[in-house]
Amino acid sequence: MSEVDLLIVGAGPAGMAAAVTARQNGLDVLVIDDQPAPGGQIWRSVETVAATKRGALLGEAYAAGQASAAAFRASGAVYEPGSQLWQIEPGFRAFVTRDRQARVIKARAVILATGAQERPAPFPGWTLPGVLTVGAAQILLKNAGEIPEKPVWIAGSGPLPLLYMTQLLKAGGRVAGYLDTTPKGRLMAALPHLPGALGAMGDLLKGLGWKAALKRAGVPVVKHVAEIEAVGTDKVEQLRYRTANGREAIVSAEVVLVHEGVVPSIHPPLALGCKVEWSDVQACYVPVLDSWGESSQDYVFVAGDGAGIAGAKAAELRGHIAALRAAVKLGRLGEGAADERAAPLRSSLGRELALRPFLDTLFAPRPQVFAPPDETIVCRCEEVSAQEIRDLVKLGRPGPNQVKAFTRAGMGPCQGRQCGYTITHILAQAENRPPGEVGFYRVRPPLKPVTLGELASLDQQEPVA
Amino acid sequence: MFRKLHEPLTEAITIYVDGAPVAAEPGESVAAVLLRQKEAWSRTTPVTQSRRAPYCLMGVCFDCLAKVDGVASVQTCLTMVAPGMRIERQQGKRSLSA
Amino acid sequence: MSPRDYDVTVIGGGLHGLSAALHLARAGRRVVVLEKSWVGRHASGATAAGVRTLGRDLAEVPVSLEAMEMWHRIGGIVDGDCGFHAHGQIRVAEFEEQMPALLQRAETMRKLGYQHEEIIDRAELQRLVPALSKHCFGALIVRTDGAADPHKTLAAFRRSCEAAGVTIIEGCGVEVIERRGANWLVRCSGERCFSAPVVVNAAGAWAGKLASLFGDEIELGYKASMMIATERLEPLLEPVVSVVGRALSFKQAGQGTLVIGGGLQGSADLDAQRSFVNFTELAKGARAATDLFPAVRDVRIARSWAGMEAKTRDLVPVVGPSPNAPGVFHAFGFSGHGFQLVPVVGAIICDLVVKGGTSRQISGFKPERLMASRQAA
């Protein structure tokens, strides 16, 4: 069993930054990540792609990842890509599989920098081949230089669809149309938060620039789209949509990309018993953290978007801050020195976070995301429909764990990552109580589907047969 | 469904999808290769045998599962191509006899 | 708040509580079931749902056989088939030197007049479980044993209870017990209060604590047995297989998942109602599974969990009247193998409440055996 001072899970902006700071303070650091190269999702494949033609069309924010990855590589942290963390037990014992070999790593402190995932936004037909998330399409562009063959339909809200469309157009791809699902009146609701956001003016201007580019390119935009449906057998053939004022259309489509914002990856902190709280504005759970990013569990930190969605710059800052505190707790750094070094990081972080109330309000998901029609499959793994969940409500006031037991929703390999919030919201509506009170699935290990053979290999006894 | 921006580079490698040779580029994921195929799907579900294709590309949806070099239920979005790799689309419930 | 009146208050909304409530309601009693979380939250929802007479403690054999007979007609007892299938339970001896113990057990049973446990050889074992590793030598089998689906069973018992007029109240944890005339006043969270002359203690892992509120100090431990469920597979085996000398119970559920248990222990925090899986320990179970069924090495684990329940010193349950509190009946301490007994224990409790006694053999289940002598007055 290997033993380290600090285990960092995830090699995106937060994990890489944490590793750099932890190493500067003399900690013995191991970074594990399920991706094959550093960068996380935002800087996917940055080391090999940033300097190429493809890198140029991905933009400056992407290129910035190259320096971060280089600093991380030079930090002296041990880095093990392609590693799946499937359980952490208190103490800490991390169970990891890499190249089909399972092992146990002992660590004195843990920084979870596992980032975010796109918010599951079920609609009829979302399981058909040809429906992908916008994030997925962007990963295909970064990792494989791959774009939709035919003009693509994009439905969603938030900055990512805008960014992806500008990248796609630059790459020579075509957009059949953008179905903007941002509801009416969101800008007015968000405006009061604008003064606070002005500190991050650059990002706001960038967003306006993307919109202008789409307009110049003549991308058809349909505003206030409320409902979408992918139609087809075996793959998407058509896309049906309906706007808030009732305008309906059916268009032919081969690829439909969807995006309704991102939510923190909460399975790892939940597995460690870290306290989480419901965020109304982001409509998700976020870990309860102190000003250093330490969770309710001693020596467990959460940094990056996993601590609450705030983007790559905030993620790096949070990574540095968490690592400073880890160094203090492991006796390598004085409290005063840590405070001093955290101060400028914290004021930068404050500026990044100031933009969030504006963005979160502007891009708060449309209500239909949480109230899919009855025929919609909500659990992709076990193919459980919204109707089946609603039917169960007749049985007292079930919570997510009872729904799981009786319908198998959440029992598949994704461990509820794609249906957890939908179940919470459907129950909240049906039982007329706030989602935060309904709660979330209990996370049952393993976090990733390890094989019986890999687990068996951890048993120390001699072979019997 | 998807296409490459460029022709595979000179160091293109060959992998096999359900026995048929296809070109791939070092560093890209198996899921990316599957999405370029005429049959752009990865598996059928164990519950209703409906087709699924890579959806999230970041390891959280498990719809890109396929058999890779004889090992079933592998997340192809997290698996990078390697020369000679054999990919088989996974049909329904896993069968252990195969 | 004034108490609501019932004939019987059942504390614990697990399967044993529901079964007792069902039988009592059908005997005309007004029954309320108080459940601190929700129906089937702990052992009943976490069980592997083996329906096994094989290898039972001799004290349990008569009631277990009656329960088995009930399982074979379970659809007539409750509203639903409970997912029950009788594909047999098999206890495998991997090596020849493990056979004498099985042979001796079979001989003991035969002498007592029981015919259900039977020795089979390697060829028959292979015929029944082709996926089993070829090194296995022989086995003890009960062909009429089987397994059910815990959630279907919970749903069926719950539906039947409600149809029979049982009131089930979830999120209702007991806080105080008071004696009021001939009645027991049960005070719960949220200032809810229930009054009845009869109380059934079916509180699972928390039953010892509850018993002490009635003046019964019953020695009780707990178990946190771990389970593994895998991804769905094509049919691999039908019987439930366990192995001599290893912590393994191995079966395939109707939807194709393998359900692997065998009594490996995780840990639990009873006050917090939380249990924890210990993967270092669970690795032994995975090792046993892959040794016995080599084809499953690459099968993926979808989830694992630990279920909490009460364990007695002799691993035999407590079923019977309280020696200290009139009108109080205990049904707990099933020690990891109570699922199969569910239909019959409800009938026993009903006998005790309604008739004041039972013709069924329950002398081995007396609470007194686990109480210090001064208390067992």
Side-chain angles (χ1 to χ4, degrees), chain C residues 215-236:
Chain C
D216 290 344
E217 299 300 335
I218 299 172
E219 182 197 334
L220 199 64
Y222 69 87
K223 295 185 84 168
S225 300
M226 297 188 290
M227 305 282 302
I228 290 172
T230 69
E231 63 185 316
R232 295 185 192 226
L233 306 176
E234 288 290 343
L236 181 73

Side-chain angles (χ1 to χ4, degrees), chain C residues 7-13 15-22 24 29 31-34 174 177 184 186 196-204 207 210-211 214 318-322 326-332 334 345-346 348-354:
Chain C
D7 296 326
V8 183
T9 302
V10 175
I11 300 175
L15 282 168
H16 282 289
L18 293 179
S19 179
L22 177 61
L24 285 162
R29 297 301 188 272
V31 185
V32 62
V33 175
L34 306 180
V174 172
I177 306 273
W184 293 104
V186 179
V198 173
V199 173
V200 175
N201 173 10
L210 184 67
F214 291 100
V318 174
V319 180
S322 157
V328 174
F329 299 86
H330 297 302
F332 59 83
F334 292 90
V345 170
I348 292 169
I349 293 293
C350 184
D351 277 354
L352 296 175
V353 172
V354 174

Side-chain angles (χ1 to χ4, degrees), chain A residues 7 85 87-89 92-96 103-106:
Chain A
L7 173 70
L85 170 78
Q87 168 74 335
I88 300 193
E89 291 174 359
F92 298 95
R93 299 160 61 81
F95 293 77
V96 176
R103 60 192 263 245
V104 184
I105 296 155
K106 255 193 106 159

Side-chain angles (χ1 to χ4, degrees), chain A residues 219-256:
Chain A
V219 170
V221 176
V222 183
K223 284 193 146 185
H224 312 311
V225 170
E227 294 162 35
I228 56 174
E229 179 183 355
V231 183
T233 46
D234 285 349
K235 62 180 178 184
V236 177
E237 287 153 21
Q238 290 177 315
L239 173 66
R240 181 180 302 165
Y241 64 86
R242 184 188 167 87
T243 65
N245 49 25
R247 192 159 72 84
E248 264 194 59
I250 300 179
V251 293
S252 66
E254 186 179 69
V255 174
V256 177

Side-chain angles (χ1 to χ4, degrees), chain A residues 89 93 382 408 445 450 453 463, chain C residues 232 255 279-280 297 301 304:
Chain A
E89 291 174 359
R93 299 160 61 81
E382 292 289 329
R408 297 188 55 82
V450 62
Chain C
R232 295 185 192 226
Q255 67 276 2
F279 269 92
T280 307
R297 286 201 70 82
I301 299 172
S304 64

